[in-house]
């Protein structure tokens, strides 16, 4: 004799209510994901467009136990002015020097060498950031 297999018991393995809930959760997840991407994109665009000055440290050299020479490159609009902050750290990570550099040259790209005085031997020189100053 062969056993005849009948269909699955009613209601035991059904997906009617679960399928609707899964579909609703997928839609809510997609909407929230799209909203999150939109917020991240908006923040990124507003951050980039809000920066009037863009700068970077090209090279640095600890010329003595109490000074670091930094080659700073700043890209800006010709008439923009601003201040860039440099800092220097010792081997243990403590800050040993900090200097604000005024950038007011009428040029789109400014390359300048700055000496940052330090309290002891520095192992790096980093750009903390640049802020735009009022044009006048």
């Amino acid at each position: 004799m062969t056993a005849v297999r009948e269909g699955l018991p009613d209601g035991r393995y059904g997906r009617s209510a679960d399928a609707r809930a899964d579909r609703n959760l997928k839609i809510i997840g997609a909407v929230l994901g799209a909203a999150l991407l939109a917020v991240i994109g908006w923040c990124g665009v507003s951050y980039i467009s809000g920066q009037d000055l863009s700068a970077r440290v090209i090279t640095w050299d600890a010329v003595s136990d109490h000074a670091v020479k930094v080659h700073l490159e700043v890209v800006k609009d010709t008439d923009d002015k601003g201040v860039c902050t440099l800092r220097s750290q010792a081997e243990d990570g403590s800050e040993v020097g900090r200097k604000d550099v005024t950038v007011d040259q009428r040029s789109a790209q400014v390359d300048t060498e700055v000496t940052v005085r330090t309290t002891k031997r520095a192992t790096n020189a980093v750009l903390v950031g640049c802020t735009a100053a009022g044009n006048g």
Side-chain angles (χ1 to χ4, degrees):
M1 269 182 94
T2 56
V4 176
R5 187 167 192 186
E6 296 181 21
L8 300 172
D10 289 338
R12 185 167 184 183
Y13 299 103
R15 291 194 42 136
S16 61
D18 288 342
R20 280 193 301 265
D22 287 348
R23 184 168 185 251
N24 287 341
L25 286 175
K26 287 178 185 177
I27 290 171
I28 291 170
V31 168
L32 290 176
L36 178 64
L37 286 175
V39 167
I40 290 172
W42 178 77
C43 290
V45 168
S46 66
Y47 176 76
I48 291 171
S49 65
Q51 288 185 332
D52 296 327
L53 303 176
S54 173
R56 65 183 180 143
V57 172
I58 303 295
T59 60
W60 64 272
D61 183 29
V63 294
S64 73
D65 285 345
H66 298 288
V68 175
K69 186 180 277 188
V70 181
H71 178 187
L72 180 67
E73 176 187 77
V74 181
V75 178
K76 62 183 187 62
D77 287 339
T78 304
D79 295 329
D80 284 350
K81 297 176 183 179
V83 176
C84 293
T85 303
L86 298 169
R87 92 170 171 177
S88 205
Q89 293 174 303
E91 189 171 350
D92 63 1
S94 62
E95 184 175 298
V96 294
R98 182 176 282 255
K99 183 169 187 172
D100 290 334
V101 180
T102 302
V103 181
D104 58 1
Q105 294 87 336
R106 293 184 54 91
S107 175
Q109 180 172 336
V110 177
D111 284 302
T112 185
E113 284 194 357
V114 179
T115 300
V116 179
R117 297 178 138 253
T118 61
T119 56
K120 63 181 180 179
R121 187 90 178 163
T123 58
N124 71 6
V126 295
L127 175 69
V128 176
C130 293
T131 57
N135 295 333

